Every structure is written in C-alpha cells, then in structure tokens.
Amino acid sequence: MKESVLFERVILGSTEEAKDIILQLVNLSAYFCESRIVKNINLAIEKNKVTSIMGPSGCGKTTLIRCINRMHEMSPGGTTKGEILLYGKDINNMNAIEVRKKIGMVFQRPNPFPTMTIYENVIAGFILNGIRLPKNIMDEIVEDSLSKAALWDEVKHNLGKRGIYLSGGQQQRLCIARALAMKPDVLLLDEPTSALDPKATAKIEELIVQLKESVTILIVTHNIAQAARVSDNTAFLYLGELVEYEPTKKLFTIPRDKRTEEYLTGKYG
Amino acid sequence: MSDVLIKKRILKDHLAKLIILAISIIVVVPLVLILGYLIINGLASINLDFITNIPKPVGETGGGILNAILGSGIIILTALILFVPLGIGGGIYVSEFSDTLLSRILRLSIDVLQGTPSIVIGIFTWVICVVPMGRFSALSGSLALGVMVLPIVLKSTEETLKLIPMELREAATALGVPYYRVVLKVVVPAGLKGIASGVLLGTTRISGETAPLLFTAFGNPYMSFNILKPMSSLPLVIYVYATSPYDEWHKLAWGASLILILLVFGINMAARIFFSRRDGR
C-alpha cells in the first residue's frame, strides 16, 4: 500500500521520470486533543528541492511541518496519526532527538539564544548537547554555516557580540546558520520572513534558492508570491486538507482545483 | 474639537501627573526619614574601632561589633548555601511541571511558609535543631533564616522562568537538545538575572531578621567562627543593645543599625552594577 502511494505521488505532475524522494508523509493526521487540524495528508518531498506549503491562516500549515521534526507532540494535547518516512524510515519510530538533528527548523520569529554570542549561537546545537569539538573544527563549522546563510561577511569581525544585537533579518539568517551547522538533511522553514521587512525578506528568499543544493527545504508561507518565487513544488492546504500538490509553475498557471484558483486570485486568505 | 475641550484635557493630564508625583514622594518619605534618622544617630558611633573590635564589658567605653558583622555574614552565607539550591530547584520544578499534584502541593506549602511569622520559624527551628543538639548554634540560625529565604527564591525562580519565551525552548528543542538540557542550558541561563535578583531580595530580607535568631544563633559577645556554637549577628546586637539600660550600648545599637542598612544597600548596589555590566556587552 505504501508503495502505491509513493508511486502515485512520484508520478504526480507532468514529468513521468522517477524522482528522488527524501521525505514522505503517508495518511498523516495531526490533532490538538480531539480536534483534527491536519487531515490525512499524503505528500512526497523531493530531495534538494524547495517545496512550499501554502494556504490561508489557520489551515494547519505550521502544525503540518511541526509534525515532521516531532515538535508537534511537544505542544499540549498534540498527537499525530499516520507515517512520516525519512529515507523510507518512519520518524515516529526513531528517537525524537535524532530526528531533530536530521530535520532542522527555523521559526517564524528569529529566536537566537539571548545569552550567547553570534559564534556560540551558530554552534549552539553542539554546545547545548555537551559535544566538545576542537577549536579549529568549531571555527570551520561557524564560518561554513555563516557563509551558507549569507551572513559571514556581515558578522565576521563581530563574532563575539551577542546574537540579539543583530537586526531582525540578520538574526533570522543566524538562526538558519544555527540549523545548518547541524548538517541536517531537511530544513523546515516556518514562515521565516513574516516578521521581516521586504529587503530582509528578499535576502532570505535568495538564500533559500541557493541552499537547496545542499539541503532539502520545506517552507511554510501564506505569501503566494513568495511560494511562486522560491519553490519548485507547491502544496496548497485548505482547512487541514491537501487540496493540490504540483510543480509550482503548473499549480500557479493551471490550478486543477477551484479552491486553489480562488486562493491564488485572492478570493480568500 | 474646541479649544476649551483641549485645554481641559491638558489640565487633566497635568493633574494626573501631579497626583502620581505626590504619591511617589509620599512613598519615598518614610525611607528618607529612616535613613536620615539612622545617619544622624548612628554616624557618631561609627569609627574604625567600631568595625574592627569586639564589644567591651559594660561600664567600659568603646568597643565594636566586628563579631556581629562577621557573624551575620557567616550565618546568612550558610543559609544561602543550604537553601538557595533547594529554592531554585523547586522553582524550576514548579514552573516546568506546573500541573502536577506535587507542584500544586509545593506551591500551596510555599505560600503558607511565606506567611509564617518569623518567630514561629524560630521556635520551630529551636525544637528540631537546638533541642536535639543540646545547644544554640549559628547553624540552627542559618536553618531558620534558610527556611525564610526558601519561599522567596522559589517564587522568584518560578515567576522568572515562566516569562522565558516558548520560542527559546523550541529553538533548542529543534536542534535536537534533550529536554533536561534545554531547561538547564537555555531556560535557566536566560532567567539567571531574575533568579539572582530573587536571591538578593531574600538575602536583604533575612539580613534584618531578629526573631528567628533569638532561639537559635542566640548571640555571642566574643568572636566565634564555629557554626556549631552560638554566634553574634547584627540584628541580635541591635536588639540586645537597644533594649539595654545603658546609654553607651544605645549608641552601639544606632551604629549597628546604620551598618546593617549600609550593608543591605551595598549588596543591592553591587548587584545592580554587576548586572548592568553583564547586559551592556
């Protein structure tokens, strides 16, 4: 059964060729106590692509991606049903801590650790886990992660300064660097630009497109234009249901579902 | 809007400011009076001898309160060492697991403990510590003061940690950090300032307590560093000297009161400077 779902999703869209699937959601439902927020979702995420999850407020986008690194179960009353397969292995059978090392996350509002310097923030994943690394390796990770997050040139002379003294956009890129430092396979971005100004947003979007070479990106957004700009594939979520999942170009030009079309044309959202 | 109406509003605004100003001044007046009175009466008896000598027998002039200053320091420090970790630990538990039965019981107990009169805590400590040991001791005084500082530290820890934003915990959790490390390495450090100010508040609170020490540390006219024996302390000295019939001792009591206030003031100022430096990095 699993195979058939995979097959169905893989051949979705116009191309018939087999795609490289890293993450697969199978009949995934998420609950807060009794109420079902995410309903029976089947979704296959392609490796080294940017996939956006788009939909109006309250449609379950954030809850959906919080299931993928098992943060949803941390919320009071949060439970899930169904499978989330990372390279074919169900993450619900893996250690949650392992899952979160493989699947990094960046949140809506920049949240660098206030007591840490920029340097420490980048390697926070190691520091907080009590992993001690030689200085030169740490330096390497910090420079590499900050460079990937397009922040290195701006902060390389101020690594000892506290992370919270950076601007909002820089803080968010610091948070991206912090997630990248753990060398995740998948990076979840939960509306990463909704608290930022247009200039900082443009910078982050540019970064997202660059990053897909090294990491698979899943981005939640309620900004239609953003989904169109950055993503290869787009999933449209409405009232907890997956309405449509297509290559972005196709979904934006010839949406199959009436609800998608209405959302894209600004009827609601 | 008409000019008259705007003028009326401005007038009301001024009036409100005046009222607030008046209230603020009324609040500050008692403090200023106490400080002023202490300085006028106490300053005369403070000199180098006063803070470097121990008391002299009745009838002789001079003498100091060095034993009481050091005694206070030792008793308070011991109380803090024994009870601050308990308070912080309890505060972490109550804020992290606030819905458990144990948390509810703990919270209620702490509220009751905070409202317990200090003399009762003194007698209680006398019963469970002084009587079995067979003598008064500085340690029993520390226990009594520790029981008083515990609720203050616990509550301020709980209140502080509850204010740490959820986003920080999530940030750490999403990096694959186990829960206990999230609490110890992220939540507690972020709340360190609040926790420390709770400890300081507790310290200044207990440094003036007399009642719990009457039946426990008891007082000692000589220098003593043995926490298993009776020890002097500033509030005890003030109490004994102020209620004595000798003029000479009354002066010492004024001096000791001023020293106590200055110490409390000093601790507060030092903490403020320390924290503002840490922040300004």
Side-chain angles (χ1 to χ4, degrees):
Chain A
M1 186 256 163
K2 215 178 288 167
E3 295 300 315
S4 70
V5 173
L6 176 68
F7 188 64
E8 190 184 314
R9 287 296 153 198
V10 167
I11 60 162
L12 241 174
S14 52
T15 45
E16 295 284 322
E17 75 211 54
K19 287 173 186 167
D20 199 0
I21 300 300
I22 183 166
L23 193 71
Q24 207 193 343
L25 315 185
V26 183
N27 290 329
L28 182 74
S29 292
Y31 302 78
F32 275 113
C33 298
E34 294 300 302
S35 60
R36 196 157 74 138
I37 308 296
V38 170
K39 296 165 187 165
N40 239 8
I41 288 193
N42 289 291
L43 198 64
I45 309 293
E46 282 182 85
K47 201 172 176 217
N48 290 85
K49 290 275 165 70
V50 178
T51 304
S52 62
I53 297 174
M54 179 181 79
S57 314
C59 70
K61 313 180 290 282
T62 295
T63 306
L64 175 66
I65 71 159
R66 284 172 64 94
C67 292
I68 297 173
N69 67 346
R70 299 202 29 199
M71 293 289 284
H72 178 61
E73 66 198 61
M74 309 278 296
S75 317
T79 50
T80 60
K81 251 186 209 158
E83 291 175 329
I84 299 167
L85 307 171
L86 177 67
Y87 291 120
K89 248 178 87 181
D90 191 356
I91 64 158
N92 290 312
N93 298 329
M94 289 158 72
N95 185 326
I97 287 160
E98 278 308 308
V99 172
R100 293 181 195 130
K101 280 180 186 164
K102 287 182 179 151
I103 305 179
M105 186 165 193
V106 174
F107 297 84
Q108 220 165 35
R109 286 156 56 96
N111 53 2
F113 297 113
T115 53
M116 292 188 185
T117 62
I118 294 172
Y119 187 98
E120 289 165 339
N121 259 293
V122 177
I123 50 166
F126 299 97
I127 296 178
L128 295 177
N129 276 308
I131 300 167
R132 286 174 183 278
L133 296 170
K135 179 92 170 71
N136 58 327
I137 294 190
M138 284 198 301
D139 289 348
E140 218 171 273
I141 294 174
V142 169
E143 182 174 350
D144 184 50
S145 309
L146 284 172
S147 305
K148 274 188 188 156
L151 188 60
W152 174 250
D153 288 331
E154 289 162 56
V155 300
K156 61 183 171 192
H157 300 302
N158 290 317
L159 294 174
K161 253 179 112 177
R162 297 263 186 110
I164 41 173
Y165 291 121
L166 294 173
S167 74
Q170 287 174 323
Q171 284 189 26
Q172 195 61 303
R173 277 178 281 148
L174 179 61
C175 293
I176 293 174
R178 179 175 69 189
L180 291 175
M182 303 304 287
K183 301 243 171 350
D185 295 316
V186 180
L187 189 60
L188 308 173
L189 306 172
D190 181 10
E191 300 199 24
T193 61
S194 65
L196 303 181
D197 62 72
K199 213 170 160 190
T201 301
K203 198 132 197 184
I204 302 256
E205 286 181 2
E206 199 180 307
L207 172 64
I208 289 170
V209 177
Q210 286 166 16
L211 275 177
K212 70 177 176 185
E213 277 174 30
S214 50
V215 61
T216 305
I217 292 174
L218 207 61
I219 176 173
V220 159
T221 179
H222 62 228
N223 183 337
I224 299 168
Q226 183 168 62
R229 283 192 297 262
V230 301
S231 64
D232 301 298
N233 296 317
T234 297
F236 175 60
L237 228 60
Y238 185 63
L239 298 177
E241 280 173 56
L242 179 64
V243 173
E244 204 165 337
Y245 178 44
E246 296 285 351
T248 303
K249 266 194 195 122
K250 188 170 174 220
L251 186 132
F252 274 78
T253 44
I254 29 170
R256 281 185 311 170
D257 198 285
K258 201 163 172 280
R259 288 168 292 180
T260 316
E261 194 182 331
E262 282 175 357
Y263 181 69
L264 291 176
T265 51
K267 289 247 170 71
Y268 56 85
Chain B
M1 208 188 301
S2 72
D3 274 2
V4 186
L5 220 60
I6 291 176
K7 271 191 188 140
K8 233 178 163 179
R9 285 189 174 194
I10 292 173
L11 205 70
K12 273 187 193 165
D13 185 47
H14 283 310
L15 197 68
K17 274 184 195 155
L18 267 177
I19 291 171
I20 291 169
L21 189 71
I23 293 172
S24 316
I25 290 172
I26 292 170
V27 170
V28 175
V29 163
L31 179 70
V32 172
L33 282 181
I34 292 172
L35 261 179
Y37 207 65
L38 271 179
I39 290 171
I40 291 166
N41 287 287
L43 212 56
S45 42
I46 293 183
N47 51 46
L48 198 63
D49 278 353
F50 186 70
I51 51 170
T52 54
N53 280 317
I54 63 169
K56 291 204 170 135
V58 187
E60 287 184 43
T61 52
I65 53 159
L66 180 64
N67 58 338
I69 297 175
L70 294 180
S72 262
I74 291 168
I75 293 171
I76 290 169
L77 212 61
T78 313
L80 295 180
I81 290 169
L82 291 177
F83 284 86
V84 164
L86 284 180
I88 294 178
I92 294 173
Y93 181 83
V94 174
S95 91
E96 288 296 318
F97 305 97
S98 55
D99 284 339
T100 60
L101 183 65
L102 182 59
S103 274
R104 279 178 217 162
I105 295 172
L106 195 58
R107 224 176 266 128
L108 182 68
S109 325
I110 286 297
D111 283 342
V112 174
L113 191 60
Q114 193 158 31
T116 309
S118 56
I119 188 88
V120 175
I121 290 174
I123 294 170
F124 168 74
T125 317
W126 181 76
V127 171
I128 64 149
C129 187
V130 176
V131 173
M133 275 176 75
R135 63 167 174 229
F136 297 108
S137 66
L139 182 64
S140 59
S142 297
L143 287 182
L145 293 185
V147 169
M148 296 203 65
V149 90
L150 181 66
I152 301 173
V153 173
L154 196 146
K155 288 213 127 189
S156 66
T157 303
E158 184 196 359
E159 295 304 325
T160 308
L161 295 189
K162 271 190 180 162
L163 293 179
I164 305 298
M166 197 63 206
E167 285 91 11
L168 273 189
R169 294 160 193 264
E170 291 194 330
T173 308
L175 286 170
V177 180
Y179 176 69
Y180 77 97
R181 276 185 168 274
V182 174
V183 173
L184 292 181
K185 299 272 175 178
V186 176
V187 179
V188 172
L192 208 56
K193 204 171 152 182
I195 296 172
S197 65
V199 173
L200 280 171
L201 186 71
T203 309
T204 49
R205 172 87 177 75
I206 58 170
S207 52
E209 279 296 335
T210 322
L213 296 178
L214 288 174
F215 315 105
T216 51
F218 191 69
N220 188 339
Y222 305 105
M223 188 70 88
S224 164
F225 295 111
N226 186 344
I227 60 166
L228 297 176
K229 294 218 168 123
M231 199 181 275
S232 189
S233 86
L234 281 170
L236 280 177
V237 163
I238 296 168
Y239 174 73
V240 172
Y241 285 0
T243 53
S244 76
Y246 315 110
D247 267 353
E248 189 67 25
W249 279 17
H250 289 167
K251 276 187 204 156
L252 292 180
W254 281 116
S257 306
L258 184 57
I259 297 271
L260 183 58
I261 287 275
L262 288 179
L263 283 179
V264 168
F265 195 65
I267 293 172
N268 268 316
M269 290 311 279
R272 266 165 202 264
I273 292 166
F274 174 72
F275 282 126
S276 63
R277 274 221 191 117
R278 259 180 57 112
D279 262 11
R281 196 157 68 152

